[in-house]
């Protein structure tokens, strides 16, 4: 049975619409107008168009962040994806860990990104749940009222190589050089951080769970559903993704079906600063990546 971890007031969230300017060298964004609540932001997320995908100025509904998180576990590396039912778009996709940037973090979206990892990606061991650290900064433990976090062992986050083109907020270059794209169907700017997660050496029987929030009776409710972990792994080979998908439960990798699977727009082709697709099928993505048409089953891991 799903377990409620936390309830929040959605009206506490405020963000800002954006004005952006792009060129072949970089992208600059700044907040525009007055803060919006969640409902007002969603109302603004309507399709927009640009002429030249490399050079344009545009007003957008919001700033979002995603993390292409690489999990290092038992000598192999995996991309971490979460399953999400997107009510505003009427679909179900696998996507990167992601969230909306609140107004007060507009100039520091990296902070939002690491907080999203703490909120969306839960790591369980027989001794308890793992908290995390990024450099000298401890990640929040948003569910410590409901879950028992380990006091000694923790995972560590680090940044991987950033994008080649700069992204600036009010003229100041962002740390860690995220990849940026403007998603035309939702009139939003998305920043994608490339990060790595390393586990404590003594980690055993690891299980991964995704926690997502939904609006219920005017409250944001976060639930943990053990029967549907909703967190998936794409194994990497020499740093490149493979055409495989798996879940991890009690230290065991279990192959997951990719039949009829869709990935979010961050996996779709990007032209200049622009992504035009709402989603991309797993099959089309594997073709785009030059991967095999059929996946090999991941080797089961020892406990």
């Amino acid at each position: 049975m799903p377990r409620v971890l936390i309830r929040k007031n959605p009206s506490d969230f405020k963000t800002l619409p954006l004005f952006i300017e792009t060129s072949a060298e970089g992208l600059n964004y700044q907040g525009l107008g007055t803060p919006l609540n969640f409902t007002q932001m969603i109302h603004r997320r309507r399709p927009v168009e640009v002429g030249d995908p490399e050079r344009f100025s545009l007003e957008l509904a919001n700033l979002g962040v995603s993390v292409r998180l690489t999990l290092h576990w038992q000598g192999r590396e995996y991309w971490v994806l979460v399953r999400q039912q997107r009510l505003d778009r009427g679909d179900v996709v696998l996507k990167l860990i992601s969230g909306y940037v609140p107004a007060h973090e507009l100039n520091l979206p990296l902070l939002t990104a690491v907080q999203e990892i703490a909120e969306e990606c839960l790591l369980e061991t027989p001794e308890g749940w793992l908290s995390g650290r990024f450099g000298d900064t401890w990640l929040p433990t948003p569910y410590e009222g409901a879950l028992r976090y380990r006091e000694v062992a923790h995972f560590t986050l680090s940044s991987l190589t950033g994008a080649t083109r700069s992204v600036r907020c009010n003229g100041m270059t962002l740390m860690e050089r995220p990849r940026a794209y403007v998603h035309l169907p939702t009139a939003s700017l998305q920043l994608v951080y490339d990060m790595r997660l390393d586990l404590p050496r003594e980690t055993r029987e690891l299980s991964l769970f995704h926690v997502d929030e939904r609006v219920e009776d005017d409250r944001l409710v976060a639930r943990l559903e053990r029967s549907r972990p909703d967190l998936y792994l794409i194994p990497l080979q020499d740093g490149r993704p493979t055409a495989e998908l798996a879940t991890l439960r009690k230290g065991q990798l279990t192959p997951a079906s990719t039949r009829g699977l869709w990935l979010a727009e961050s996996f779709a082709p990007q032209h200049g600063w622009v992504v035009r697709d709402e989603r991309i099928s797993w099959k089309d993505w594997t073709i785009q990546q030059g991967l095999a048409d059929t996946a090999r089953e991941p080797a089961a891991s020892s406990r």
Side-chain angles (χ1 to χ4, degrees), residues 81-96:
L81 279 68
V82 298
R83 180 184 180 274
Q84 185 181 48
Q85 182 178 5
R86 304 190 297 189
L87 299 179
D88 60 329
R89 304 190 216 178
D91 62 10
V92 177
V93 297
L94 293 190
K95 68 179 187 70
L96 303 178

Side-chain angles (χ1 to χ4, degrees), residues 161-235:
T161 304
T164 56
R165 297 204 286 185
S166 67
V167 179
R168 300 182 301 279
C169 176
N170 291 319
M172 298 293 291
T173 300
L174 295 183
M175 296 172 58
E176 317 300 345
R177 301 184 71 89
R179 167 196 163 205
Y181 65 87
V182 174
H183 189 227
L184 296 182
T186 57
S188 59
L189 173 62
Q190 196 75 16
L191 305 180
V192 183
Y193 288 92
D194 211 2
M195 306 188 78
R196 173 186 171 103
L197 189 154
D198 287 285
L199 297 163
R201 183 171 299 177
E202 68 274 18
T203 300
R204 61 188 181 91
E205 296 187 29
L206 180 68
S207 298
L208 303 179
F209 295 93
H210 170 54
V211 173
D212 199 11
E213 295 176 336
R214 295 194 180 188
V215 178
E216 299 178 10
D217 298 326
D218 297 324
R219 305 291 289 178
L220 272 177
V221 181
R223 281 191 170 90
L224 172 64
E225 189 168 353
R226 289 183 174 276
S227 63
R228 291 182 56 182
D230 282 350
L231 202 151
Y232 295 82
L233 301 176
I234 296 180

Side-chain angles (χ1 to χ4, degrees), residues 65-293:
V65 290
S66 297
V67 181
R68 193 175 75 175
L69 186 63
T70 299
L71 170 68
H72 186 259
W73 180 66
Q74 295 193 344
R76 290 203 66 181
E77 294 184 330
Y78 305 83
W79 281 350
V80 179
L81 279 68
V82 298
R83 180 184 180 274
Q84 185 181 48
Q85 182 178 5
R86 304 190 297 189
L87 299 179
D88 60 329
R89 304 190 216 178
D91 62 10
V92 177
V93 297
L94 293 190
K95 68 179 187 70
L96 303 178
I97 294 168
S98 58
Y100 302 112
V101 179
H104 65 277
E105 293 175 3
L106 212 63
N107 63 342
L108 192 59
L110 177 62
L111 180 58
T112 307
V114 297
Q115 289 173 340
E116 289 296 330
I117 294 173
E119 292 178 1
E120 289 198 25
C121 182
L122 295 187
L123 294 81
E124 185 183 30
T125 69
E127 297 78 22
W129 300 83
L130 292 175
S131 58
R133 187 168 180 168
F134 177 64
D136 295 328
T137 302
W138 287 99
L139 273 64
T141 49
Y143 313 117
E144 68 178 336
L147 303 177
R148 180 173 61 88
Y149 288 87
R150 296 176 62 174
E151 294 184 2
V152 179
H154 63 275
F155 66 82
T156 57
L157 291 176
S158 56
S159 293
L160 299 175
T161 304
T164 56
R165 297 204 286 185
S166 67
V167 179
R168 300 182 301 279
C169 176
N170 291 319
M172 298 293 291
T173 300
L174 295 183
M175 296 172 58
E176 317 300 345
R177 301 184 71 89
R179 167 196 163 205
Y181 65 87
V182 174
H183 189 227
L184 296 182
T186 57
S188 59
L189 173 62
Q190 196 75 16
L191 305 180
V192 183
Y193 288 92
D194 211 2
M195 306 188 78
R196 173 186 171 103
L197 189 154
D198 287 285
L199 297 163
R201 183 171 299 177
E202 68 274 18
T203 300
R204 61 188 181 91
E205 296 187 29
L206 180 68
S207 298
L208 303 179
F209 295 93
H210 170 54
V211 173
D212 199 11
E213 295 176 336
R214 295 194 180 188
V215 178
E216 299 178 10
D217 298 326
D218 297 324
R219 305 291 289 178
L220 272 177
V221 181
R223 281 191 170 90
L224 172 64
E225 189 168 353
R226 289 183 174 276
S227 63
R228 291 182 56 182
D230 282 350
L231 202 151
Y232 295 82
L233 301 176
I234 296 180
L236 306 182
Q237 187 72 40
D238 299 324
R240 296 194 68 250
T242 62
E244 302 172 13
L245 191 67
T247 57
L248 181 61
R249 187 75 178 266
K250 295 184 177 180
Q252 296 294 314
L253 279 174
T254 302
S257 172
T258 59
R259 180 173 297 176
L261 183 66
W262 290 86
L263 300 173
E265 78 279 344
S266 59
F267 291 87
Q270 179 172 343
H271 304 284
W273 294 104
V274 165
V275 172
R276 291 186 166 86
D277 298 318
E278 286 271 17
R279 63 194 71 83
I280 185 172
S281 70
W282 175 271
K283 181 178 180 181
D284 287 344
W285 178 74
T286 58
I287 293 172
Q288 171 190 296
Q289 295 293 315
L291 305 177
D293 289 336

